[in-house]
Amino acid sequence: MLNTLIRRLIQMVFVMFGISVIVFLIFFATPGSDPSARIAGRNASPEVLAAVRKDFGFDRPIYVQYGLMMQRLLITGDLTSFQNRGQKVLPQLVQAMPVTLSLVFGGALLWVIGGIVVGVAAAATKGSVIDRGLMIIGLIGISMPVFWLGSVLNLITQSRFHDTWMFSWVPALGYKPLLESPWEWFKTMLIPWISLAVLYIGLYGRVLRASLIEANEEDYIRTARSKGLTETRILFRHALRTSLITFVTLFGLDFGALVGGGALLTEVVFGLQGVGKLTYDSLKSLDLPVILASVIYASFFVVGANFVVDMAYAVLDPRVRGR
């Protein structure tokens, strides 16, 4: 187990290094992409461009530029935005992170619980009206785009029925920090959580149902039945544990991608200034330092989520520990 942990950590470091190099080369070393021209502005004179290149180190070898950029981003923290002169990149990212983390952690809790409940209930009642009904509801949830569902929920809770007793408690769009008022934070985030989780509840429920049904045909399940174990004990003690491997794989990929900015549409619909919104705004203005920082941040969570998934494999499936 320890060897697996160390090996995965080393792989994680190398992957992060490779991602940072690739992203830097794409945005700073691609032929025709001159960051100094964006800093100097339109119609800048050659003298101004030369001065900008010297000030920002763009006249130095590419590996030196990469080292200086990583130093200013990760060590000294004084890397500044090209679009908003003098505004440091790291504080912008730090300010946006709690918003995205609040959104994704709450949504993930809902969709994990909902997905397990739907998947187990459907598998336990295979072929029944309950099974068919849950699968139809799950398919409807998968078919609803997040931005559409969020807009509908906003229309219901913020406009049409906001003055009724059902939704009068829903605050205005935006984000309330958790440490300032936990109750207001919860009320602000509840509708975005539901909007984000609905799609994944349907998807994870269907995947878990299929895995459980497949597991029920395995030899070890037949052995458990022959020992006289109840179906409930077999389902939760044996079939569910192995079926969660696929579930965990999907969760690791989706969670990492959403924390890294994949929750952009939800953030935009509900007025949340998270990492996804920050990345989107920086892409529109080609603010390269912010883009670089956002991509490295996103890759860290994606790689980190995969690392956690690998460790979860070792817990769920003992055969993985010896690899």
Side-chain angles (χ1 to χ4, degrees):
M1 185 67 177
L2 181 60
N3 291 335
T4 302
L5 177 64
I6 295 174
R7 186 167 62 252
R8 292 292 191 273
L9 283 173
I10 294 174
Q11 292 173 354
M12 183 177 174
V13 171
F14 277 103
V15 170
M16 287 296 302
F17 171 73
I19 290 173
S20 67
V21 171
I22 292 172
V23 173
F24 176 82
L25 292 177
I26 289 174
F27 289 106
F28 288 87
T30 303
S33 62
D34 186 4
S36 58
R38 294 201 56 80
I39 302 172
R42 295 182 178 179
N43 303 320
S45 64
E47 292 78 11
V48 173
L49 286 173
V52 169
R53 290 191 184 99
K54 183 176 181 181
D55 290 340
F56 285 85
F58 295 139
D59 59 340
R60 306 178 71 176
I62 191 66
Y63 61 88
V64 177
Q65 295 183 39
Y66 170 79
L68 290 174
M69 191 69 67
M70 292 300 106
Q71 179 185 4
R72 295 176 63 189
L73 175 62
L74 302 176
I75 300 177
T76 61
D78 60 353
L79 183 64
T80 57
S81 167
F82 288 172
Q83 188 69 20
N84 302 311
R85 305 290 176 82
Q87 190 170 357
K88 294 183 179 180
V89 171
L90 202 55
Q92 295 182 60
L93 199 59
V94 171
Q95 185 177 1
M97 281 176 58
V99 182
T100 299
L101 291 175
S102 296
L103 173 63
V104 178
F105 269 102
L109 181 63
L110 288 183
W111 92 57
V112 166
I113 295 174
I116 292 177
V117 169
V118 169
V120 170
T125 57
K126 177 186 175 184
S128 67
V129 175
I130 296 176
D131 177 27
R132 295 190 183 95
L134 289 174
M135 289 302 97
I136 291 173
I137 294 173
L139 184 59
I140 293 173
I142 295 172
S143 304
M144 291 190 295
V146 172
F147 64 87
W148 180 85
L149 179 60
S151 299
V152 171
L153 291 177
N154 276 341
L155 180 64
I156 294 173
T157 61
Q158 297 286 342
S159 179
R160 296 290 178 86
F161 301 101
H162 182 67
D163 295 330
T164 63
W165 64 270
M166 292 180 62
F167 300 111
S168 59
W169 57 270
V170 179
L173 297 180
Y175 177 74
K176 302 291 184 181
L178 172 63
L179 297 180
E180 288 185 9
S181 175
W183 178 237
E184 289 298 321
W185 169 83
F186 175 80
K187 291 194 297 182
T188 302
M189 299 304 299
L190 182 58
I191 303 301
W193 288 342
I194 295 173
S195 177
L196 182 64
V198 165
L199 181 151
Y200 294 99
I201 290 175
L203 176 62
Y204 282 54
R206 293 174 69 88
V207 169
L208 183 58
R209 173 189 178 274
S211 297
L212 285 170
I213 292 175
E214 182 180 354
N216 280 329
E217 304 299 325
E218 297 290 338
D219 292 337
Y220 68 91
I221 296 296
R222 296 192 185 97
T223 303
R225 287 197 180 100
S226 67
K227 292 180 179 179
L229 298 180
T230 63
E231 289 296 325
T232 301
R233 184 178 177 86
I234 292 172
L235 176 64
F236 287 98
R237 187 69 180 269
H238 299 283
L240 182 59
R241 180 171 180 176
T242 56
S243 299
L244 282 177
I245 293 178
T246 305
F247 193 97
V248 168
T249 302
L250 281 176
F251 178 78
L253 296 174
D254 290 332
F255 184 83
L258 288 173
V259 174
L264 166 64
L265 294 176
T266 309
E267 292 176 359
V268 171
V269 170
F270 291 97
L272 302 172
Q273 299 297 319
V275 175
K277 186 65 166 56
L278 176 66
T279 306
Y280 174 71
D281 292 338
S282 63
L283 285 170
K284 286 196 302 183
S285 60
L286 278 181
D287 195 348
L288 299 183
V290 180
I291 295 173
L292 179 65
S294 300
V295 172
I296 291 177
Y297 156 86
S299 63
F300 172 79
F301 276 99
V302 172
V303 174
N306 279 274
F307 170 77
V308 174
V309 167
D310 289 340
M311 294 301 100
Y313 281 170
V315 175
L316 295 173
D317 189 351
R319 294 171 297 179
V320 178
R321 298 173 191 172
R323 297 179 185 175

